[in-house]
């Protein structure tokens, strides 16, 4: 099949002059040969339902979708249901409708990961995919963490060094009242793979969504996350790390839609670009009517280690409520002379200092991975690249 | 003295952003000696420290720096450190993502090129932190991130003791510290003197840190020139009378 889709659109098209409101993806003659991730660890208390029809798997989102439609009645783009990136989506995702259409075209069924209400599962559920040369994979997961429960889900993707296909992953999540979902995604694909990672979900009253994400491989990565904080006092915490080397390209789109009262969204993006790597990053805080007392903060910290890298950052704050506090900040820069001097004064040469700083940035995210084996795997992957 | 000078600075003139700061400065430091460099604000004390350590922002226009018999005037900073020089920073930098322990381990490995025995390293680090009244949890915290001013300075002295240089330049290590922290830092410096027979150049404009240290030589720097040198008693005189007489002269 051919893939032609527009992904990662901003909630409001404010960067038309830079042609960066979204990104076009075009792939020819793609044949998907695998339609799910391998579940390598499913702890007791977790039910895993495979080959579930998408409509059935996503029915959990219907009530909140109905409520959102009602709240947005009469509201046209950029935030209404007419927003082209989300038109018809029962749950909004970062990459948008294009991925849903791709999943439909490829006939992908969902894997539903679920625990019982009031259950805390301390061991993580672990998924893995290894992409072989000449193969492409597409999968969809729906994670349901009902009221008063807590779950950790880890997904990691790697590949043969010469793999040249597509690794496409769609993940949707529901976090109930007073529930917590810790989601960890680690991408260590080979340098010829194209990666799509589409994420979206809702968080109910006093629920918490905690995302740790590392993007380190693939030639082109399109990564989007859309978190709807629907319930009062719901929270979203996002820590993303990325490494761009050679000619790698990243297109990121993160949206925190804050509808409930006193919601809290905190996102930190920390990464490094070197050689001829390029990156687009869109980060939006969308304070909806009724979100009074909410706070949102998004911080980007990107280290540029070559004059040939291209780094584009598009922070956006949308606001329909007065009593909210939205902040964004960006630290984009090279390794400072002061930092280099400090390291050299300890006997560390320039090249090693650079490597230490790159590792330090990624390690600050990697240490949040709640699995030692995966942490070690990340360390080995970085050893090979750096 | 038959022993070779550890450091010999001859006719050193230095500029920053094309403004000359140091003028034909001469200084000799022997192994194990403690030199104190004092002077009013803007005298060029930190400039000397940075120049000795090879900070590229400081340009040597004239003169030579000989360390352990080797001309290091044009040597890179990392090679000076590997040769046995150390500088504690007035404002230590924060490095998110690398722990204090890992940073010191990296530095030791960079300087020696040898593998580090982890257990022995851990024990030495713990005992040295104890000496400096540092909570052991700081070893695993990101370097200087969220450290108080006092903890940052202690972390610098910890690095001094762990790296065991032959010459340490301490740039305003006592600035901004409370009495207890000054005492602890001073204890760490004393330990360095004893343990390593280490030579010191202590840059300061206060005398609190010197109270428990034996000082061999005191130098007064004014407007980029060494205007007076003496023994430890010069510290007491400055403490009592300030720099006025040196500035007038």
């Amino acid at each position: 099949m051919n893939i032609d889709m527009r992904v990662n659109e901003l909630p409001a098209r404010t960067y038309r002059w830079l042609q960066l409101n979204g990104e076009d993806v075009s792939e020819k003659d793609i044949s998907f040969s695998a339609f799910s991730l391998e579940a390598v660890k499913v702890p007791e208390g977790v039910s895993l339902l495979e080959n579930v029809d998408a409509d059935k798997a996503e029915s959990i989102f219907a009530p909140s979708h109905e409520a959102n439609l009602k709240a947005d009645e009469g509201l046209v783009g950029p935030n209404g249901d007419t927003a082209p990136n989300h038109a018809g989506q029962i749950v909004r995702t970062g990459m948008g409708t294009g991925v849903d259409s791709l999943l439909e075209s490829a006939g992908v069924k969902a894997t539903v990961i679920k625990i019982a209400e009031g259950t805390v599962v301390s061991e993580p559920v672990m998924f893995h995919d290894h992409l072989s040369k000449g193969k492409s994979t597409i999968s969809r997961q729906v994670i349901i963490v009902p009221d008063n429960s807590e779950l950790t889900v880890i997904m990691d993707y790697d590949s043969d060094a010469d793999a040249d296909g597509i690794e496409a992953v769609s993940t949707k999540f529901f976090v109930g009242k007073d529930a917590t979902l810790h989601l960890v995604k680690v991408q260590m694909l080979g340098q010829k793979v194209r990666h799509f990672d589409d994420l979206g979900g809702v968080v109910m009253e006093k629920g918490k969504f905690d995302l740790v994400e590392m993007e380190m491989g693939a030639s082109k990565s399109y990564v989007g996350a859309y978190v709807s904080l629907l319930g009062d006092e719901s929270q979203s915490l996002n820590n993303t790390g990325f490494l761009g080397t050679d000619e790698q390209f990243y297109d990121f789109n993160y949206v925190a839609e804050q509808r409930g009262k006193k919601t809290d969204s905190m996102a930190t993006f920390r990464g490094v670009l070197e050689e001829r790597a390029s990156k687009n990053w869109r980060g939006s805080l969308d304070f909806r009517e009724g979100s009074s007392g909410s706070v949102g903060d998004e911080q980007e910290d990107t280290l540029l280690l070559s004059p040939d890298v291209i780094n584009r950052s598009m922070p956006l704050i949308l606001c329909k409520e007065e009593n909210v506090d939205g902040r964004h900040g960006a630290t984009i820069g090279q390794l400072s002379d002061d930092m280099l001097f400090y390291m050299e004064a300890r006997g560390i040469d320039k090249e090693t200092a650079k490597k230490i700083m790159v590792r330090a940035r990624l390690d600050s995210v990697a240490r949040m991975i709640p699995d030692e084996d995966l942490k070690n795997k990340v360390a080995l992957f970085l050893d090979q690249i750096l | 003295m038959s022993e070779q000078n550890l450091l010999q600075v001859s006719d050193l003139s230095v500029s920053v952003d094309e403004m000359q700061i140091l003028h034909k400065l001469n200084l000799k430091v022997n192994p194990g000696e403690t030199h104190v460099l004092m002077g009013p604000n803007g005298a060029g004390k930190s400039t000397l420290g940075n120049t000795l350590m090879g900070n590229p922002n400081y340009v040597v226009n004239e003169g030579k720096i000989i360390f352990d018999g080797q001309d290091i005037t044009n040597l890179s900073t990392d090679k000076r450190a590997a040769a046995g020089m150390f500088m504690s920073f007035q404002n230590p930098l924060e490095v998110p993502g690398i722990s204090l322990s890992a940073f010191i381990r990296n530095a030791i490995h960079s300087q020696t090129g040898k593998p580090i025995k982890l257990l022995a390293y851990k024990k030495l680090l713990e005992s040295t932190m104890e000496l400096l009244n540092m909570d052991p949890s700081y070893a695993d915290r990101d370097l200087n991130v969220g450290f108080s001013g006092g903890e940052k300075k202690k972390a610098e002295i910890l690095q001094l003791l762990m790296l065991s240089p032959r010459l340490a330049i301490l740039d305003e290590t006592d600035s901004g510290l409370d009495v207890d922290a000054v005492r602890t830092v001073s204890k760490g410096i004393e330990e360095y003197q004893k343990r390593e027979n280490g030579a010191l150049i202590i840059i300061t404009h206060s005398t609190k840190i010197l109270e428990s240290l034996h000082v061999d030589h005191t130098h007064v720097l004014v407007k980029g020139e060494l205007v007076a040198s003496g023994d430890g008693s010069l510290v007491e005189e400055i403490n009592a009378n300030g720099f006025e007489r040196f500035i007038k002269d």
Side-chain angles (χ1 to χ4, degrees), chain A residues 61-174:
Chain A
F61 301 108
S64 53
H65 180 55
E66 289 300 318
N68 287 349
L69 285 179
K70 203 172 168 190
D72 295 345
E73 211 164 25
L75 186 68
V76 291
N79 292 326
D81 191 50
T82 49
N85 201 32
H86 306 293
Q89 280 197 309
I90 193 165
V91 56
R92 290 187 169 195
T93 62
M95 287 181 71
T97 53
V99 175
D100 284 351
S101 301
L102 179 62
L103 291 162
E104 290 310 313
S105 306
V108 185
K109 303 270 189 183
T111 296
V112 178
I113 304 114
K114 193 176 177 183
I115 55 174
E117 196 173 317
T119 315
V120 174
V121 179
S122 53
E123 288 290 301
V125 186
M126 299 189 72
F127 290 94
H128 171 69
D129 193 53
H130 177 83
L131 195 66
S132 304
K133 183 174 166 54
K135 304 285 184 189
S136 288
T137 297
I138 186 166
S139 65
R140 72 198 304 173
Q141 299 81 36
V142 177
I143 304 168
I144 300 170
V145 189
D147 296 353
N148 304 305
S149 57
E150 184 170 350
L151 180 66
T152 301
V153 178
I154 299 177
M155 299 175 182
D156 81 281
Y157 332 109
D158 62 17
S159 72
D160 292 343
D162 56 353
D164 52 2
I166 288 179
E167 173 77 48
V169 184
S170 159
T171 309
K172 293 170 182 171
F173 61 87
F174 175 89

Side-chain angles (χ1 to χ4, degrees), chain B residues 90-145:
Chain B
Q90 208 176 122
N91 299 303
L93 275 84
E94 298 187 358
V95 189
I98 183 162
S99 69
L100 173 60
S101 169
F103 181 71
I104 297 174
R105 215 168 54 228
N106 266 303
I108 294 173
H109 179 69
S110 291
Q111 290 192 19
T112 63
K114 292 178 186 165
I116 296 163
K117 290 177 181 163
L118 283 179
L119 199 60
Y121 170 78
K122 195 165 176 272
K123 276 185 182 169
L124 181 63
L125 185 71
E126 279 171 2
S127 62
T128 312
M129 289 181 83
E130 196 179 338
L131 175 86
L132 295 169
N133 292 335
M134 285 184 84
D135 187 316
S137 66
Y138 276 78
D140 297 321
R141 284 179 55 174
D142 287 357
L143 179 62
N144 293 326
V145 177

Side-chain angles (χ1 to χ4, degrees), chain B residues 38-248:
Chain B
M38 302 186 82
N41 287 334
K45 303 186 295 293
S46 293
T47 296
L48 178 59
N50 275 280
T51 306
L52 294 178
M53 207 62 220
N55 187 330
N57 293 328
Y58 296 78
V59 179
V60 175
N61 306 117
E62 192 185 352
K64 271 186 182 177
I65 306 168
I66 309 288
F67 181 73
D68 200 19
Q70 183 192 2
D71 186 345
I72 62 160
T73 317
N74 297 311
L75 201 65
S76 64
T77 299
D78 59 305
K79 292 195 169 70
R80 294 182 199 211
M85 293 178 72
F86 176 93
M87 185 170 97
S88 88
F89 283 58
Q90 208 176 122
N91 299 303
L93 275 84
E94 298 187 358
V95 189
I98 183 162
S99 69
L100 173 60
S101 169
F103 181 71
I104 297 174
R105 215 168 54 228
N106 266 303
I108 294 173
H109 179 69
S110 291
Q111 290 192 19
T112 63
K114 292 178 186 165
I116 296 163
K117 290 177 181 163
L118 283 179
L119 199 60
Y121 170 78
K122 195 165 176 272
K123 276 185 182 169
L124 181 63
L125 185 71
E126 279 171 2
S127 62
T128 312
M129 289 181 83
E130 196 179 338
L131 175 86
L132 295 169
N133 292 335
M134 285 184 84
D135 187 316
S137 66
Y138 276 78
D140 297 321
R141 284 179 55 174
D142 287 357
L143 179 62
N144 293 326
V145 177
F147 288 22
S148 67
E151 296 300 341
K152 282 182 182 173
K153 295 296 174 74
K154 284 184 191 176
E156 292 290 288
I157 300 303
L158 177 69
Q159 292 174 52
L160 164 69
L161 289 168
M162 294 296 291
L163 291 169
S164 309
R166 302 174 64 203
L167 171 68
I169 302 153
L170 308 184
D171 188 5
E172 308 262 1
T173 298
D174 50 351
S175 67
L177 299 187
D178 62 31
V179 180
D180 291 337
V182 169
R183 199 172 293 135
T184 306
V185 163
S186 183
K187 197 166 83 179
I189 298 168
E190 207 179 343
E191 179 71 14
Y192 166 71
Q193 286 176 317
K194 280 194 297 191
R195 197 193 281 182
E196 309 295 338
N197 188 31
L200 282 158
I201 298 174
I202 301 176
I203 297 169
T204 184
H205 47 196
S206 114
T207 55
K208 282 189 294 179
I209 200 167
L210 305 173
E211 281 167 12
S212 62
L213 297 176
H214 170 76
V215 175
D216 297 295
H217 300 278
T218 307
H219 310 279
V220 181
L221 190 66
V222 176
K223 292 181 182 170
E225 291 180 37
L226 279 183
V227 295
S229 289
D231 58 17
S233 62
L234 188 53
V235 172
E236 287 156 34
E237 190 204 321
I238 291 167
N239 199 19
N241 304 317
F243 296 111
E244 206 172 337
R245 89 169 163 95
F246 303 106
I247 294 169
K248 276 179 185 171

Side-chain angles (χ1 to χ4, degrees), chain A residues 337-339 341-349 352 356-357 360-361 363-364 367, chain B residues 50 55 77-78 81 86-87 89 93-94 96-98 107 110-111 142 144 156 159:
Chain A
D337 289 344
D338 287 346
M339 184 65 82
F341 178 57
Y342 188 66
M343 294 232 174
E344 287 188 86
R346 299 296 177 254
I348 299 166
D349 64 54
T352 309
I356 288 175
M357 290 308 294
R361 261 153 211 268
D363 284 349
S364 69
R367 72 170 63 149
Chain B
N50 275 280
N55 187 330
T77 299
D78 59 305
F86 176 93
M87 185 170 97
F89 283 58
L93 275 84
E94 298 187 358
I98 183 162
S110 291
Q111 290 192 19
D142 287 357
N144 293 326
E156 292 290 288
Q159 292 174 52

Side-chain angles (χ1 to χ4, degrees), chain A residues 262-320:
Chain A
K262 295 184 180 174
T263 59
D264 187 346
S265 156
M266 173 73 209
T268 305
F269 304 89
R270 188 171 289 148
V272 180
L273 295 176
E274 53 183 339
E275 297 173 82
R276 292 165 306 284
S278 57
K279 183 219 78 181
N280 299 331
W281 173 80
R282 301 174 194 85
S284 305
L285 298 172
D286 187 0
F287 294 102
R288 296 301 185 93
E289 205 171 322
S291 62
S292 63
S294 292
V295 293
D297 190 355
E298 50 183 24
Q299 299 292 331
E300 185 199 349
D301 182 3
T302 302
L303 184 62
L304 311 179
L305 290 179
S306 151
D308 299 323
V309 301
I310 298 172
N311 181 65
R312 288 174 285 220
S313 301
M314 290 144 285
L316 182 68
I317 296 180
L318 301 169
C319 192
K320 277 191 153 286

